[in-house]
Amino acid sequence: MKEHEKKIQLWFEMWLRKDCTGIEDIFSAYAVYTESWGPKYNGINKIEHWFNEWNTRGDVVKWDIKRFFHNENTTAVEWYFKNTMKDGRTEEFDGVSLVEWNDENKIISLKEFGCNINNYDPYNNGCEPEFKNEDTLWF
């Protein structure tokens, strides 16, 4: 379990450093990485390409781990994420990654799930819901 946690922590730190040296120690050659808003990267070469290309467009400012859950060859990690993009946008949200491991303790599947941090009670003013008039985020 601790080895899995260390590898996930290392992956998050790589984004903060903008350096994915050692990625082959974390992901299997045939790993599949699915982002919460739809993109899917098949194989470590695509994951590494996405990592390097994305870091030309933005900066990960924070990626804080809140807690881990383990069950056999699966780990779930709850986290908080914030980035700034070169076009001036800032994105921040809570999330969960569902991670599956192979027998060599390398990631074979990672799926991200995002959650808006701007929460509110739509029933605060009565029985009829009042929803914010804003665009739905991509996750």
Side-chain angles (χ1 to χ4, degrees):
M1 305 303 171
K2 291 291 182 194
E3 183 178 354
H4 292 169
E5 291 179 12
K6 286 180 183 178
K7 287 187 176 187
I8 292 169
Q9 288 171 330
L10 179 58
W11 175 240
F12 288 13
E13 290 168 8
M14 287 177 170
W15 284 92
L16 292 164
R17 291 191 324 261
K18 293 184 168 231
D19 179 8
C20 68
T21 302
I23 192 172
E24 65 280 350
D25 296 327
I26 299 171
F27 291 93
S28 78
Y30 304 102
V32 177
Y33 196 112
T34 307
E35 291 191 86
S36 60
W37 58 287
K40 186 176 192 178
Y41 312 102
N42 293 298
I44 194 170
N45 292 336
K46 276 280 176 68
I47 295 168
E48 186 172 4
H49 174 78
W50 159 60
F51 177 96
N52 289 319
E53 186 280 323
W54 189 95
N55 277 289
T56 67
R57 296 182 285 118
D59 296 297
V60 174
V61 178
K62 281 184 132 337
W63 204 350
D64 296 335
I65 293 172
K66 295 181 180 182
R67 58 187 166 163
F68 291 98
F69 302 91
H70 303 283
N71 184 21
E72 298 177 11
N73 69 334
T74 304
T75 300
V77 55
E78 182 184 8
W79 41 262
Y80 164 79
F81 179 88
K82 182 176 183 180
N83 69 36
T84 56
M85 301 306 289
K86 302 289 188 218
D87 65 7
R89 288 178 295 130
T90 297
E91 302 167 320
E92 61 182 319
F93 55 94
D94 288 322
V96 172
S97 293
L98 186 60
V99 182
E100 292 182 52
W101 305 90
N102 66 13
D103 292 339
E104 289 86 40
N105 288 317
K106 291 186 179 184
I107 295 172
I108 57 173
S109 174
L110 190 153
K111 293 181 182 178
E112 292 180 349
F113 302 88
C115 184
N116 192 332
I117 61 172
N118 299 315
N119 303 129
Y120 63 96
D121 179 357
Y123 299 102
N124 193 46
N125 295 321
C127 294
E128 293 297 318
E130 295 177 12
F131 297 105
K132 288 184 179 180
N133 187 18
E134 60 184 18
D135 291 336
T136 302
L137 295 176
W138 44 262
F139 46 80

